[in-house]
Amino acid sequence: MADFSNELGAQAPLGFWDPFNFLSSADEAYFNRLRTVEIKHGRISMLAILGHLVTTAGARLPGDIAYGVPFASIKTGLAAFNDIPLAGLFQIVLFIGLLENGYAIIAKDIENDIEVWQNANGWSEEKKLSKRAIELNNGRAAQMGILALMVHEKLNNDPYVINSLLGFPVPFNQ
């Protein structure tokens, strides 16, 4: 059994947090797999937050998402899944799968290229660790953020509840 309490990401105020004891009998390979998944979900969540904000602001791609279904007619947030035709949803899932498989093939090359770039630009090991910790924290915050947006959208169709509480409501899917 390895001790992961000093790994990158075990930071104040929570420190090492494993409430379900997933790592109680884990080895280094299992921990690395969970960390890879955490980083991936964090990156996806950051993109999801950005997409939610951009589409709520009214930005849409030109053209049609499907024959006779313009992007402009698609609602924001989870309600979009009701507007996209089934074949379109299948294409989205297929595209995500292709991205996932493509990334798996070249992940090590990307990591090596980033390492070369960081070294060429004089990044110290301390700076690299700091940037990795920042990415982990931003990803964790984005995961909680997109979850909150989805929950509040389903509760009362007001994902930007803080804006409403402060007197600046955001019209959403109206």
Side-chain angles (χ1 to χ4, degrees):
M1 179 177 94
D3 177 26
F4 302 108
S5 61
N6 294 319
E7 289 292 327
L8 184 69
Q11 303 165 190
L14 294 178
F16 179 70
W17 195 62
D18 183 21
F20 298 111
N21 291 319
F22 287 131
L23 299 174
S24 62
S25 61
D27 60 1
E28 189 75 24
Y30 184 68
F31 174 82
N32 290 339
R33 171 70 183 136
L34 290 178
R35 177 53 52 91
T36 300
V37 170
E38 179 184 16
I39 291 170
K40 182 189 327 177
H41 286 141
R43 290 172 179 169
I44 291 166
S45 296
M46 287 186 263
L47 289 172
I49 291 280
L50 178 64
H52 205 287
L53 292 170
V54 168
T55 55
T56 299
R60 299 290 192 277
L61 293 173
D64 293 347
I65 191 169
Y67 184 73
V69 182
F71 280 104
S73 71
I74 304 297
K75 291 181 180 163
T76 299
L78 296 173
F81 290 110
N82 298 328
D83 296 342
I84 301 172
L86 187 58
L89 291 174
F90 175 73
Q91 291 174 26
I92 291 169
V93 170
L94 179 65
F95 180 67
I96 291 169
L98 290 172
L99 287 175
E100 179 74 21
N101 286 333
Y103 178 75
I105 293 169
I106 63 169
K108 289 294 179 198
D109 294 337
I110 292 172
E111 290 171 11
N112 291 337
D113 290 346
I114 290 170
E115 187 75 22
V116 167
W117 183 88
Q118 289 172 340
N119 291 337
N121 286 287
W123 284 28
S124 66
E125 285 304 312
E126 183 179 320
K127 183 173 183 176
K128 291 176 191 178
L129 286 174
S130 171
K131 296 296 183 180
R132 289 182 189 128
I134 290 168
E135 181 182 22
L136 270 174
N137 283 332
N138 287 344
R140 290 168 178 170
Q143 289 175 67
M144 295 298 103
I146 195 64
L147 178 62
L149 288 173
M150 292 187 300
V151 166
H152 284 282
E153 179 183 345
K154 285 301 185 183
L155 285 175
N156 63 356
N157 201 39
D158 186 14
Y160 301 101
V161 67
I162 298 294
N163 292 38
S164 299
L165 292 172
L166 295 174
F168 303 101
V170 175
F172 188 75
N173 283 340
Q174 297 174 356

